[in-house]
Amino acid sequence: PAGTLVELSTGEVAVVMEAYRNRRLRPRLLVLLDADKQALQPPRPLELLTEKTAADGLPLEIRKSLEPYAHGIDMSTIPL
């Protein structure tokens, strides 16, 4: 659902901005942290519905959901 913090198969951390009813595992995301868990400035939008592979050619997908304050991210500061 929108507002869920997730880790991608690349190791990046993102927040779900919009989930699609028919494609729940391919939402619109805002990538907040890179694979080394360093903040991206500015955060990078990512559309999993259309981007299916990472730069290394491997499948780009959600690996797992994270707790709201994982990696020190304050979800109240993220505009959804």
Side-chain angles (χ1 to χ4, degrees), residues 18-50:
E18 181 180 2
Y20 302 109
R21 184 178 300 175
N22 296 335
R23 303 287 290 186
R24 285 185 269 183
L25 295 178
R26 308 302 295 176
R28 186 168 59 90
L29 305 171
L30 185 62
V31 181
L32 305 173
L33 305 178
D34 65 18
D36 296 321
K37 308 305 186 260
Q38 300 299 310
L40 294 178
Q41 293 300 329
R44 176 175 55 91
L46 177 65
E47 183 68 60
L48 278 183
L49 192 58
T50 56

Side-chain angles (χ1 to χ4, degrees), residues 5-74:
L5 198 59
V6 296
E7 183 173 312
L8 303 175
S9 55
T10 58
E12 296 169 301
V13 175
V15 63
V16 175
M17 300 300 288
E18 181 180 2
Y20 302 109
R21 184 178 300 175
N22 296 335
R23 303 287 290 186
R24 285 185 269 183
L25 295 178
R26 308 302 295 176
R28 186 168 59 90
L29 305 171
L30 185 62
V31 181
L32 305 173
L33 305 178
D34 65 18
D36 296 321
K37 308 305 186 260
Q38 300 299 310
L40 294 178
Q41 293 300 329
R44 176 175 55 91
L46 177 65
E47 183 68 60
L48 278 183
L49 192 58
T50 56
E51 284 192 55
K52 297 188 187 286
T53 56
D56 59 8
L58 294 175
L60 182 58
E61 54 196 12
I62 294 173
R63 181 180 296 159
K64 62 183 175 181
S65 62
L66 302 171
E67 294 296 320
Y69 287 95
H71 304 291
I73 297 171
D74 181 358

